Amino acid sequence: MNRTLFRALATVGAVTAYATVVAQPSWEICIDPFNTQPYSIAPPFASAHLQNELAQATIGFQGTVTYGSATGPCFAPATTVNTRGRIGFGSGNTGSIQSSFDDSMVYTFGMPVSPAGPWSYANIKSNTGIGTPVVSDLYGATPYSLAFSGASDRYVYTESTQNGIKTQCRIDVVGDATRVQWTLTNLNAAATSMGLWYGAWCAMIGDGGNAIQGFGSNDYIYIPGRKPAVVENRIIRKRDPANFPPFVAFAFDQENAYGLRIDTGASAATSDKNGNNSDSTTADEIVVGSAGSLLGSEGTANDVTSMPDFIFDQDGDGIGDVFFNDPAFIIKYEANTGQLLAQNQTRQINQYYRSTWGNPMYGSGKTVGGNQRAYTTVADAPAVLAQDEDGSGMNGYKKNPFTIRVWVDNVRSYSSINEEFSMDDVQITLDLGAGLSLVPGDVNVKTITKIAPRAMKFVDFQVQADGIEVGDLPYTATIVSPITDQNRNPVIIKGTVRASLTKKYRFEPRANLITSPWILTDSSWEHMFGWTIPADFTAYNWDAKQGAYVPSTSAQRAVGTWIIMNSNTHPTEEIRPVIGAKTPTDMTTGDINITMYSGWNLIGNPYPYAIPLLQLVGVPKANPSQTYPWARLVQAQYVSGAIAYWDPFINSYKFTSGINAVLQPGQGYWVRVLTNQGLTMNFPPVTDLFVPASQGVGGLALSRTAGNEYPQTPNHFRLNLRATSSFGSDQENYVGMVATSAEAGALQIYKPPMGPAQDVNLEIAGVANGQPSRFAQSIVAGASQASWKVYVTSKKGGNVNITWPNVKAVPANVKMTITDDLTRRTIDTRFTNNFVFAATKNVQRVFTATLVKTGNSVVVFGGATSVPGSLGSKTAASVRYQLASDALVSLRVLDSNNSEVVSLLSNSPATLGLNTALWDMRRTNGTLVATGNYQFEITAVVDGLTTRKLVPVTVNR
């Protein structure tokens, strides 16, 4: 069947067979304007549409729609397709405040009226055990047994039964997302495993109906950890769980990067305040490719029983080798991954289809366990601050100042019919990190007076960037609703605005590790900054072949360089413009190669925009006939997975790795090559969303968070070791334990060379590939006890302070000690928070760090002492006790018969370290006790386990 889109038919009149006149961008442009009955009469066409200001969704109820005619538009000849069970997605009438491009934008074909045919549908999968055939049923192939639009909340409900599987589908529009909840119930007598595939064609109309993408062309498809998808991709979680993408995004194009994000599992937006209990179901597979190949052709089957799910993957690596248009996806929750469920048992699958720009926290209210937020909030901030090439912006950015808008959506808890409740006096506070500030005259605390049930309201903050701070600039929106007791438990949205590098640098009056991406009229450092060497600064590169620092005289793209300021002539922080700098012209093409040698290499991002680490590609000299993306370089042990950068504010290294890691512009990075032969590394083009670019494909900015938290559980934990002198600190060092050797190996982080001006250094001895090595993070597997040699050096000498600030986060059943190998002094880190020693210049001091898991016996109490009370002088008795971790403490006074005299505390929060309690020598009824012997009974609850300690105390006359 030939499909052609006649763009001249950008608008059509009212559809006579449909009750509502479509007053927004619509795929009704593909309906023949001379067809007076494109929607079926018998049965009458019907679909249900949901919409708020930020999102919209439609599900077909019944009937058919006819697209095209013998000559078009879009389809020639015409195609008549069913609508029941088909789901579509789009943006709300407002969309992002950053642009009008996505106002009422539609994301999938057929929206907003008639998603239909093989373009957006679900297959219900079932089987009766391993090795049995998987049965596939089209949701909507049989009439609904029930279908309605809810009076409460903002949802549509449908259900039908096929092949003994009852399927209930509830669709909610919340904030900037459509939440689709599938409940599958086994009605068969035999135990059955149930699953679901859902797929859709991502054909978009934006810019008020003036722009079309995804119909005969490709969207801007981003898959975290991969280059932008221009060929088909099949990604299976069990093949590489660590690098399975948390989402896939279909954006209109790179600069107008609005569109659809498909979550593949848990995210901060769907989890509780502790990052747990997400109600988003983990997907087993996601496939990206052509709508016809994945979902089926409208010319051969209107109701596809089983998705074709075809890509041209000849070598089985999940990457096809054919360019495609009409982009589509399939997301899979396999039947054979779920347990066999007996008759009348259910499996629930929750999906989130979101905007590409929103930073939300979704509320589940009282309908879903785990995530108990009462309402939804969405922050709308620019994803990227782009370069100002024409001088229209401020401080080097194209759109600066800008708006950060915070929405509150009153659904799910206070919007049930006959139980509605308005949210009054909702307070929103915006806190801005370094590099961002409010425009003069604006305030950071604002109040929404009233939000009616099923309504959304917002506040706007006018923000400006200083053009000096580079990278992910943090902001925090705190939302407090008095009626939900949120004063003690507010909704907190944390996000960042990714700032590109402007043509200036900030220099601290010490060491700075930078890189220069600019095209320069004169690349010498002295000309670039208008300084002289050594009066103002000195510069050093790393010679990877020699393994040593060498003086640097000029900037090189893709190379990291140390700039050491002369503190006598430059005693304070300075902002320095770059003289003769032009923006590079190869950002959209990439193709910059650098040679890297065995050992440490100092590199830099060759562009003024961030690039994802996992998009780097290398060619090992040991295997020069094959290219390896970064993840495979790490898996094959050609490179270490973690890269290091220098934080000049704390004079210490920090590390980044994994699927969310990026090379920020202007920043130098250490990379350790593990192969003896070295390799050649290639830098990709810039692929961040919302970056102006001429290319037609690209990618989305990675997760805009402050960083990944390291989960601390009884089988997965680490202790942070820091060394600080009067001249600097070394902060990012860890020892820890995990369950498996594979995980332990992936978490090892090598220690980079000391910086030229670095004073204090802490490193952990270990072995890698049979060779002695030094690490910043050393993790062991499956052990109940482990020890490490820790080396601390100070170039200038003097007192060095070793601390372990995250001890509270380490599970309470782990005992941790630090032993000074010189003096043999041992410290229990639970009860002492630091160790100070006098360092000799350039002489390593050796310590032994030991971690011991104590099983279920939680170590809680350290020392405990009491002070007697005196009735005559009215001096209260007291008890002092040390806790090994935060705990819930109950404290009673017992007499000589172990009977309660008085209760002083009951499940009261107490903190790690020294705690004190006073007893006024009175009973519960207020009368004074007699002289004699008593006991303080201290009960502490940690991780659900209770520990009791008795401390004798006397009451004197």
Side-chain angles (χ1 to χ4, degrees):
M1 177 170 290
N2 179 38
R3 291 185 296 169
T4 25
L5 178 63
F6 294 96
R7 300 199 180 213
L9 299 175
T11 59
V12 295
V15 180
T16 57
Y18 189 68
T20 303
V21 175
V22 178
Q24 68 166 88
S26 171
W27 280 111
E28 293 202 332
I29 58 175
C30 288
I31 291 177
D32 180 4
F34 301 104
N35 184 349
T36 60
Q37 291 186 348
Y39 295 97
S40 63
I41 303 300
F45 174 88
S47 64
H49 184 76
L50 300 170
Q51 184 164 343
N52 66 10
E53 286 85 343
L54 303 182
Q56 60 174 312
T58 299
I59 182 170
F61 272 15
Q62 67 178 17
T64 64
V65 58
T66 299
Y67 286 105
S69 69
T71 58
C74 305
F75 299 92
T79 181
T80 299
V81 284
N82 292 317
T83 190
R84 187 171 52 232
R86 278 57 167 195
I87 304 171
F89 308 102
S91 172
N93 59 312
T94 298
S96 172
I97 187 60
Q98 312 304 328
S99 171
S100 61
F101 191 92
D102 71 329
D103 294 356
S104 299
M105 183 177 178
V106 297
Y107 300 154
T108 56
F109 191 82
M111 283 292 286
V113 175
S114 50
W119 305 318
S120 56
Y121 65 98
N123 280 162
I124 309 303
K125 303 287 185 175
S126 62
N127 69 342
T128 55
I130 297 174
T132 61
V134 175
V135 177
S136 182
D137 293 293
L138 171 69
Y139 183 67
T142 60
Y144 297 138
S145 55
L146 183 63
F148 62 88
S149 294
S152 303
D153 302 332
R154 194 186 296 119
Y155 77 100
V156 174
Y157 176 91
T158 61
E159 69 174 44
S160 71
T161 300
Q162 295 164 262
N163 194 41
I165 306 298
K166 178 182 177 181
T167 303
Q168 300 162 288
C169 178
R170 171 173 170 147
I171 301 175
D172 288 82
V173 168
V174 290
D176 69 329
T178 298
R179 180 180 183 274
V180 185
Q181 180 183 78
W182 303 89
T183 304
L184 310 179
T185 303
N186 177 27
L187 302 181
N188 297 297
T192 302
S193 181
M194 300 172 291
L196 177 136
W197 292 10
Y198 177 79
W201 174 13
C202 294
M204 303 182 186
I205 306 178
D207 194 24
N210 297 314
I212 293 174
Q213 189 73 282
F215 192 113
S217 60
N218 203 354
D219 297 335
Y220 190 84
I221 305 171
Y222 173 70
I223 307 173
R226 299 180 175 226
K227 289 190 174 182
V230 295
V231 296
E232 301 144 320
N233 283 252
R234 181 184 304 281
I235 312 170
I236 301 173
R237 186 180 294 273
K238 65 182 180 182
R239 288 183 178 175
D240 187 6
N243 293 309
F244 191 84
F247 62 88
V248 171
F250 288 77
F252 189 91
D253 60 31
Q254 185 172 6
E255 184 168 3
N256 298 298
Y258 302 98
L260 179 65
R261 164 176 163 156
I262 304 107
D263 280 6
T264 62
S267 69
T270 58
S271 304
D272 63 21
K273 64 178 182 179
N274 298 315
N276 302 315
N277 299 314
S278 171
D279 66 339
S280 179
T281 303
T282 299
D284 298 301
E285 181 178 331
I286 190 162
V287 192
V288 173
S290 169
S293 297
L294 296 186
L295 305 178
S297 169
E298 70 282 348
T300 58
N302 293 338
D303 289 330
V304 184
T305 302
S306 183
M307 295 176 180
D309 185 27
F310 176 76
I311 68 171
F312 290 93
D313 179 13
Q314 295 180 330
D315 54 9
D317 65 354
I319 305 295
D321 199 28
V322 175
F323 293 110
F324 66 92
N325 294 316
D326 301 336
F329 68 89
I330 302 173
I331 186 167
K332 302 179 181 180
Y333 309 84
E334 298 289 11
N336 55 19
T337 62
Q339 63 181 12
L340 289 172
L341 298 175
Q343 189 175 29
N344 296 321
Q345 287 189 314
T346 64
R347 180 185 183 189
Q348 186 169 290
I349 296 170
N350 298 327
Q351 302 175 301
Y352 282 84
Y353 297 91
R354 305 165 47 181
S355 74
T356 56
W357 54 263
N359 184 6
M361 299 291 268
Y362 298 117
S364 63
K366 55 193 177 186
T367 60
V368 180
N371 175 7
Q372 291 300 316
R373 293 191 195 94
Y375 52 88
T376 288
T377 55
V378 183
D380 178 3
V384 171
L385 295 179
Q387 296 282 298
D388 180 13
E389 301 295 346
D390 59 9
S392 60
M394 184 178 75
N395 296 335
Y397 296 124
K398 186 176 182 180
K399 294 182 179 180
N400 190 30
F402 53 86
T403 299
I404 294 182
R405 173 171 286 183
V406 180
W407 289 90
V408 179
D409 189 3
N410 185 7
V411 293
R412 305 301 291 274
S413 280
Y414 310 123
S415 54
S416 296
I417 195 69
N418 297 325
E419 298 177 10
E420 292 93 343
F421 208 99
S422 294
M423 297 174 61
D424 296 340
D425 300 322
V426 179
Q427 180 178 288
I428 296 97
T429 302
L430 182 69
D431 295 310
L432 302 170
L436 300 177
S437 63
L438 290 174
V439 170
D442 206 350
V443 295
N444 77 318
V445 180
K446 299 185 179 183
T447 300
I448 301 175
T449 304
K450 183 180 290 292
I451 308 174
R454 297 179 290 277
M456 294 181 70
K457 293 262 181 99
F458 65 86
V459 293
D460 284 343
F461 300 91
Q462 301 306 312
V463 179
Q464 59 191 10
D466 62 13
I468 300 168
E469 294 285 344
V470 176
D472 293 345
L473 311 184
Y475 69 86
T476 301
T478 303
I479 300 94
V480 174
S481 171
I483 65 169
T484 60
D485 197 25
Q486 295 290 309
N487 285 302
R488 291 184 297 169
N489 187 25
V491 174
I492 299 175
I493 299 177
K494 294 184 178 181
T496 60
V497 176
R498 181 160 289 170
S500 60
L501 182 68
T502 59
K503 297 181 179 70
K504 51 190 168 186
Y505 288 83
R506 179 182 52 207
F507 290 100
E508 299 302 316
R510 41 190 175 267
N512 303 266
L513 182 53
I514 72 167
T515 190
S516 173
W518 310 113
I519 305 300
L520 300 160
T521 55
D522 184 338
S523 63
S524 70
W525 294 116
E526 290 180 305
H527 181 270
M528 279 179 63
F529 298 120
W531 286 331
T532 59
I533 299 175
D536 297 298
F537 73 105
T538 51
Y540 299 94
N541 285 344
W542 178 259
D543 188 321
K545 289 187 287 186
Q546 298 182 46
Y549 291 109
V550 295
S552 173
T553 58
S554 60
Q556 298 172 263
R557 293 180 68 195
V559 172
T561 301
W562 289 95
I563 302 294
I564 313 298
M565 301 305 298
N566 185 333
S567 60
N568 295 320
T569 55
H570 299 270
T572 60
E573 177 183 286
E574 296 184 30
I575 310 302
R576 202 71 178 175
V578 181
I579 300 171
K582 294 183 179 180
T583 302
T585 58
D586 56 2
M587 291 189 299
T588 62
T589 59
D591 204 29
I592 295 177
N593 296 335
I594 59 170
T595 300
M596 301 177 68
Y597 298 91
S598 181
W600 288 104
N601 296 260
L602 199 48
I603 70 169
N605 179 350
Y607 315 113
Y609 294 93
I611 55 176
L613 174 63
L614 265 65
Q615 289 187 4
L616 269 62
V617 175
V619 177
K621 292 186 178 178
N623 189 8
S625 63
Q626 186 173 357
T627 60
Y628 287 75
W630 179 266
R632 287 181 57 206
L633 287 171
V634 174
Q635 291 166 357
Q637 295 190 335
Y638 286 120
V639 298
S640 174
I643 61 175
Y645 61 97
W646 182 256
D647 187 333
F649 302 104
I650 60 174
N651 270 347
S652 181
Y653 284 117
K654 291 185 177 180
F655 301 88
T656 187
S657 63
I659 201 165
N660 290 325
V662 296
L663 299 178
Q664 295 287 7
Q667 175 71 62
Y669 291 89
W670 285 105
V671 177
R672 185 172 178 86
V673 175
L674 303 179
T675 173
N676 291 332
Q677 294 93 331
L679 53 85
T680 301
M681 191 71 73
N682 175 266
F683 288 94
V686 176
T687 58
D688 257 355
L689 271 184
F690 301 102
V691 173
S694 59
Q695 64 188 57
V697 297
L700 178 65
L702 293 171
S703 179
R704 300 199 300 276
T705 61
N708 294 327
E709 294 297 325
Y710 192 95
Q712 301 279 80
T713 68
N715 294 315
H716 189 287
F717 60 88
R718 65 180 183 176
L719 178 69
N720 180 208
L721 297 175
R722 297 183 176 184
T724 303
S725 73
S726 299
F727 308 100
S729 64
D730 188 357
Q731 299 190 9
E732 296 293 315
N733 308 285
Y734 299 88
V735 293
M737 298 178 179
V738 294
T740 67
S741 57
E743 188 177 18
L747 291 171
Q748 303 286 61
I749 299 177
Y750 289 89
K751 188 74 176 185
M754 286 186 70
Q758 182 181 355
D759 175 63
V760 66
N761 183 67
L762 187 153
E763 55 191 15
I764 303 155
V767 176
N769 299 323
Q771 299 296 320
S773 300
R774 296 294 172 92
F775 297 93
Q777 178 166 286
S778 181
I779 306 295
V780 298
S784 60
Q785 179 174 340
S787 63
W788 297 262
K789 290 298 181 182
V790 178
Y791 296 86
V792 181
T793 307
S794 172
K795 286 182 179 178
K796 296 181 180 180
N799 284 346
V800 174
N801 187 19
I802 302 176
T803 58
W804 32 90
N806 77 325
V807 66
K808 289 185 179 182
V810 176
N813 67 329
V814 178
K815 181 178 181 180
M816 299 157 290
T817 60
I818 304 292
T819 300
D820 183 348
D821 286 12
L822 180 64
T823 65
R824 306 310 304 168
R825 179 188 175 193
T826 297
I827 288 175
D828 189 325
T829 62
R830 294 289 188 183
F831 304 110
T832 304
N833 58 17
N834 71 318
F835 179 90
V836 180
F837 72 95
T840 303
K841 292 181 180 179
N842 293 316
V843 175
Q844 287 186 331
R845 186 73 162 258
V846 185
F847 298 85
T848 301
T850 302
L851 303 186
V852 180
K853 294 176 64 176
T854 58
N856 293 327
S857 176
V858 179
V859 179
V860 175
F861 290 108
T865 59
S866 66
V867 176
S870 172
L871 293 172
S873 64
K874 297 181 180 180
T875 301
S878 64
V879 62
R880 291 160 58 91
Y881 57 96
Q882 286 187 313
L883 291 175
S885 63
D886 293 349
L888 292 176
V889 170
S890 298
L891 179 59
R892 299 192 301 165
V893 178
L894 307 179
D895 62 18
S896 57
N897 296 319
N898 289 325
S899 297
E900 180 180 306
V901 176
V902 67
S903 175
L904 301 177
L905 298 172
S906 178
N907 285 325
S908 178
T911 59
L912 175 151
L914 186 63
N915 291 265
T916 302
L918 299 176
W919 173 40
D920 62 4
M921 300 173 295
R922 295 183 183 274
R923 302 178 187 276
T924 302
N925 62 9
T927 62
L928 289 169
V929 299
T931 60
N933 296 322
Y934 297 87
Q935 294 183 96
F936 287 108
E937 180 199 58
I938 313 167
T939 304
V941 179
V942 178
D943 293 342
L945 299 176
T946 301
T947 304
R948 180 172 176 261
K949 191 175 187 68
L950 295 174
V951 184
V953 64
T954 59
V955 175
N956 301 320
R957 178 59 60 186

